[in-house]
């Protein structure tokens, strides 16, 4: 199948991580907030020398993984920069949790540090009301190669760039797998949310060129079966995130539209991608096997 091998200088990589727990997880429902919490706490504990982060005034911030990767908007003059990482998908296991952590160009340099801190501090962290979880193994999402197992990195392990599948044909059904969060209020909710997120990422980490014209979408919506879904951000937060779920039927898909959909299949659309929001897949209307 054809694949997208280049998108405005962005490179993105995936870590397929498996966590092992001492007993079945008590968490149910949406896992994005729990995962983002443990990822952030592990990176902070392993790198910050202060009890509370003060990245905006810290002399060490230029080389510290926590603001450079996890929260770049804490840095001076970077309040609008999106984080170069996101949660892509997760799967509860009988005694654990499997999830994909996606990294953009600059975050790749900190991948080993992040995994080391996660292995070191995860047993102390609260994973949905439980302690004692551990990082069991990590695979390269692109190749399936084992990178980390039994507290050790595999010699010669390599993280390879992801090359998403390109949709073919002029008609697609797009399934919103997690809520699509967007301020855009249009008849086509996907177009504005996808274009805006990809453009902001290209501005921060790619070649800075326009990803698409503003005047018209590179497809046409023929049907929309959507509903609003409220999701609690995390176990320790009362904040609820509002987003759209359901499916959209697209027609007259252009090559530009195919490229954008392919890039977004890993980079997501809309806001709150570090919580895993904005993930989608597509399939042909005839019912061919869906892209995941």
């Amino acid at each position: 199948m054809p694949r997208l091998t280049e998108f405005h200088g962005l490179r993105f990589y995936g870590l397929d991580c498996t966590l092992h727990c001492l007993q079945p997880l008590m968490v149910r429902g949406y896992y994005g907030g729990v995962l983002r919490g443990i990822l952030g706490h592990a990176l902070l504990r392993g790198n910050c020398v202060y009890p509370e982060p003060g990245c905006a005034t810290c002399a060490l911030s230029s080389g510290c993984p926590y603001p450079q990767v996890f929260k770049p908007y804490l840095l001076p003059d970077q309040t609008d920069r999106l984080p170069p990482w996101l949660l892509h998908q997760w799967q509860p296991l009988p005694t654990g949790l499997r999830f994909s952590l996606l990294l953009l160009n600059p975050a790749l340099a900190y991948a080993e540090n992040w995994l080391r801190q996660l292995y070191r501090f995860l047993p102390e962290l609260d994973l949905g009301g439980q302690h004692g979880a551990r990082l069991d193994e990590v695979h390269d999402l692109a190749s399936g190669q084992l990178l980390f197992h039994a507290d050790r990195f595999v010699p010669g392990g390599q993280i390879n760039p992801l090359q998403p599948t390109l949709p073919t044909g002029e008609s697609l059904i797009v399934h919103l797998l997690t809520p699509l969060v967007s301020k855009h209020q249009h008849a086509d909710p996907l177009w504005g949310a996808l274009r805006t997120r990809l453009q902001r990422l290209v501005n921060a980490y790619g070649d800075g060129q326009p990803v698409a014209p503003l005047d018209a979408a590179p497809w046409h919506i023929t049907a929309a079966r959507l509903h609003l879904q409220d999701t609690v951000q995390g176990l320790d937060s009362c904040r609820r995130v509002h987003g759209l779920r359901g499916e959209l039927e697209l027609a007259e898909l252009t090559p530009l539209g195919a490229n954008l959909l392919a890039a977004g299949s890993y980079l997501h659309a809309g806001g709150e991608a570090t919580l895993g929001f904005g993930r989608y897949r597509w399939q042909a209307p005839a019912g061919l096997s869906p892209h995941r």
Side-chain angles (χ1 to χ4, degrees):
M1 297 183 69
R3 293 186 175 274
L4 182 68
T5 58
E6 198 282 328
F7 187 77
H8 289 278
L10 289 183
R11 296 289 184 273
F12 33 102
Y13 308 81
L15 300 174
D16 181 10
C17 305
T18 301
L19 308 183
H20 177 78
C21 303
L22 300 178
Q23 56 188 352
L25 280 174
M26 294 183 291
V27 181
R28 297 293 183 269
Y30 199 80
Y31 288 83
V34 174
L35 286 170
R36 187 171 74 171
I38 62 171
L39 287 167
H41 281 299
L43 198 62
L44 178 65
R45 288 193 185 191
N47 291 282
C48 184
V49 298
Y50 299 105
E52 295 291 336
C55 306
T57 57
C58 179
L60 304 176
S61 62
S62 62
C64 179
Y66 184 73
Q68 292 295 328
V69 175
F70 198 75
K71 291 187 176 181
Y73 46 83
L74 295 179
L75 296 169
D77 304 320
Q78 298 292 328
T79 55
D80 195 46
R81 183 156 70 110
L82 291 176
W85 71 278
L86 68 149
L87 286 169
H88 182 53
Q89 59 184 345
W90 49 80
Q91 175 190 0
L93 304 173
T95 54
L97 188 63
R98 181 179 178 183
F99 68 95
S100 297
L101 175 64
L102 268 57
L103 308 173
L104 278 85
N105 316 35
L108 184 64
Y110 299 101
E112 183 175 336
N113 179 294
W114 206 343
L115 293 178
R116 287 189 184 280
Q117 308 313 335
L118 187 61
Y119 178 81
R120 177 183 176 189
F121 291 104
L122 180 59
E124 305 172 11
L125 299 177
D126 183 349
L127 182 62
Q130 301 176 42
H131 293 79
R134 71 169 188 267
L135 180 62
D136 190 24
E137 60 184 28
V138 179
H139 291 80
D140 173 43
L141 190 60
S143 67
Q145 179 186 12
L146 183 65
L147 301 174
F148 177 93
H149 178 65
D151 82 359
R152 299 182 187 278
F153 285 90
V154 176
Q158 184 175 354
I159 306 175
N160 299 285
L162 294 164
Q163 297 182 345
T165 303
L166 280 162
T168 57
E170 295 186 359
S171 300
L172 291 175
I173 298 177
V174 176
H175 300 270
L176 303 179
L177 301 178
T178 58
L180 177 68
V181 180
S182 176
K183 297 179 181 178
H184 294 276
Q185 302 295 323
H186 303 296
D188 181 347
L190 178 60
W191 165 236
L194 178 60
R195 184 194 177 281
T196 298
R197 174 163 171 79
L198 294 181
Q199 187 65 67
R200 291 181 65 186
L201 291 174
V202 166
N203 290 346
Y205 309 114
D207 60 15
Q209 297 300 308
V211 300
L214 287 169
D215 53 353
W219 57 70
H220 176 67
I221 296 286
T222 58
R225 294 175 287 274
L226 303 171
H227 63 274
L228 188 64
Q229 177 175 313
D230 291 345
T231 305
V232 177
Q233 176 177 323
L235 297 180
D236 58 350
S237 173
C238 296
R239 177 175 174 250
R240 304 184 73 87
V241 182
H242 310 290
L244 293 172
R245 290 288 303 275
E247 62 183 33
L248 298 163
E249 292 188 18
L250 311 186
E252 302 174 25
L253 179 68
T254 69
L256 173 61
N259 286 345
L260 294 172
L261 286 173
S265 68
Y266 280 124
L267 299 177
H268 294 205
E272 304 286 4
T274 57
L275 284 168
F277 287 92
R279 179 174 169 243
Y280 59 82
R281 63 174 170 85
W282 63 77
Q283 70 181 88
L288 300 178
S289 298
H291 161 79
R292 298 185 183 276

